[in-house]
Amino acid sequence: MKPQNFEESLVWYWIISTYVFYFIGILYPVNFVLAWILFFYLCKRLWNQTAQTRIEKRIKVYWIHWVWIVSILIVAIATIVGCITYDVGTNQTLRSLINWFTDWALLALFPLSGCLNIRPQLIYRAVCILCLQSLILIPFFYLAWILKLPAHLYSSPIERLIQNGELFYNVNLYGSDYGTNDIRLFLFAPWAPALGLIGNIYFFLAVEERNNKWRWIGIAGSLAMSIVSVSRLSFIALPIVFILVLLLTKITKPTTQIALGFVSFLAGIFSTALLGTIRDAKEAFYNARPDSSRVHEALGMIALEKWKEAPIWGHGFREAPGPKALAEMPIGSHHTWFGLLFVKGIVGFIAFLVPILLSFIVLLIKAQKSTTARVALYFLVTLLLFTFNDSQEVLGYLYYPGLIIMGIAFKEEVQLPKSSLNKKPEAAYT
């Protein structure tokens, strides 16, 4: 598996160089720069495209890509209006705009780069190589903890230019959760739950690797990422997403409908016991890390309460640092949707919700026949599940391989005649 063009070379070497960028302390800036390089290259290709351009070389931007572009631009407008309305000052307004260029914009730019000639299999292989690197490095991170080496090595001075938080520029060997001394690894992520998210996403990408050796290496490495992150959500999200997407992509099959009917029948009979089990599981989930759960819940309540101060356009920025009682976590963090209401208001909330819902519908339809669309659906559902646990817009620089796969799935031409709805999904790589 080798890159065959400029865009593939960029994506390939960027993914497999993740740890190099991380240990230098520049992973965040180089990854968002990648999004803008691919964007300007796409614009150049479109500008030079003529009627004589060969079909296989032509670039076409599809309507769902435009939905993401327009929606993220609306988020930018909400940011500006929120800052002006709440009178936060020129300095804070500029910082909020810079943050938009480095996080929110990536949610539109990376899917847009899927319009370029990038093969999904190239991304799958690169992710498997990164998973192998993680498997090799994880024992050394644990060894550093055993030897009592410093958990934090250093922070990149580049943070002073962008000023979006030192966490994205820290180089850590290990860490512990708030309120406990339990060891958790971050690897190349800024915090442990983010690594759990990446592990889950990489799992679904690695499963589609065609080479058996690399596929199993990718699966092992992605599962290891989730395990060492000690993220509660990552443990339960993987089976939930797998089963949910499996059912959604086979919902037209009679066997699936019969099975669902049988499960619904049993659920009705044992509803009381089932509800009790769900309550116990929820309580166990909360008590597994009570301090963290308390902080998440309190931050959400505060964000919703403060949202009433600026319901339409939001406050324009997160309040950082937060209360000391909540480990000084920024108000508007740890929950994408509550954070959107607080920072961007109802305008930003809807601007993000619309492309998510439309993308889900598009991918669900295409996933009936397209393997790439099915992988993208796994990614989107995983991301959606994690939006209730963290502010996912700031992590686009990490899960960008999934965003590119989603963009590739958007551009696939998939025909779904009525006679084919019950056929087995076939691979549709471009």
Side-chain angles (χ1 to χ4, degrees), residues 126-420:
V127 163
C128 289
I129 293 174
L130 180 54
C131 288
L132 174 61
Q133 295 171 0
S134 298
L135 283 174
I136 295 172
L137 289 173
I138 284 173
F140 291 97
F141 281 92
Y142 275 115
L143 182 62
W145 172 69
I146 294 172
L147 297 176
K148 305 300 181 183
L149 297 179
H152 173 68
L153 296 182
Y154 56 88
S155 296
S156 172
I158 296 179
E159 191 276 333
R160 298 174 186 175
L161 298 175
I162 305 176
Q163 297 184 12
N164 64 318
E166 290 186 1
L167 284 174
F168 298 99
Y169 305 88
N170 288 341
V171 178
N172 299 304
L173 295 178
Y174 55 89
S176 59
D177 192 43
Y178 173 70
T180 73
N181 292 319
D182 297 334
I183 181 176
R184 307 179 74 178
L185 297 189
F186 305 164
L187 298 185
F188 53 86
W191 48 79
L195 180 64
L197 166 67
I198 301 305
N200 281 22
I201 291 174
Y202 281 8
F203 173 85
F204 292 114
L205 299 183
V207 164
E208 296 304 319
E209 166 58 43
R210 294 173 178 174
N211 182 281
N212 285 333
K213 180 187 70 174
W214 280 113
R215 180 169 63 251
W216 286 110
I217 289 175
I219 290 173
S222 60
L223 290 177
M225 290 182 190
S226 296
I227 293 171
V228 301
S229 72
V230 199
S231 169
R232 293 168 294 173
L233 183 56
S234 70
F235 294 159
I236 65 173
L238 198 62
I240 290 175
V241 172
F242 179 78
I243 294 173
L244 180 60
V245 174
L246 183 65
L247 290 175
L248 289 173
T249 53
K250 296 182 180 296
I251 196 65
T252 57
K253 290 182 175 294
T255 52
T256 303
Q257 296 170 0
I258 293 172
L260 287 175
F262 182 68
V263 170
S264 299
F265 173 74
L266 292 179
I269 295 177
F270 301 103
S271 59
T272 302
L274 187 61
L275 289 174
T277 302
I278 293 174
R279 284 194 297 267
D280 292 341
K282 182 179 179 181
E283 185 177 351
F285 184 87
Y286 184 97
N287 292 331
R289 200 168 291 118
D291 288 321
S292 177
S293 299
R294 177 182 60 81
V295 169
H296 276 71
E297 185 177 353
L299 284 172
M301 293 177 62
I302 294 174
L304 285 178
E305 186 64 29
K306 284 183 170 290
W307 167 54
K308 299 175 183 178
E309 300 172 358
I312 306 301
W313 299 100
H315 294 72
F317 72 104
R318 290 195 184 97
E319 288 187 11
K324 291 185 178 180
L326 299 180
E328 299 185 341
M329 296 295 181
I331 304 301
S333 65
H334 289 73
H335 197 294
T336 300
W337 303 105
F338 291 163
L340 269 171
L341 288 173
F342 174 73
V343 181
K344 316 294 182 184
I346 193 66
V347 173
F349 183 93
I350 295 175
F352 186 57
L353 179 62
V354 169
I356 288 286
L357 292 179
L358 290 178
S359 298
F360 177 81
I361 294 171
V362 169
L363 293 176
L364 178 59
I365 294 173
K366 290 190 173 187
Q368 306 304 316
K369 289 209 65 171
S370 167
T371 299
T372 308
R374 189 175 69 244
V375 176
L377 187 61
Y378 276 124
F379 159 74
L380 185 63
V381 174
T382 301
L383 185 64
L384 184 59
L385 192 59
F386 273 80
T387 58
F388 299 96
N389 183 64
D390 215 335
S391 301
Q392 297 306 328
E393 75 278 2
V394 301
L395 298 175
Y397 78 102
L398 288 180
Y399 55 73
Y400 71 88
L403 290 172
I404 297 176
I405 291 294
M406 186 171 70
I408 295 173
F410 286 160
K411 77 173 182 180
E412 283 189 342
E413 299 288 349
V414 177
Q415 299 296 327
L416 288 172
K418 292 182 180 179
S419 60
S420 69

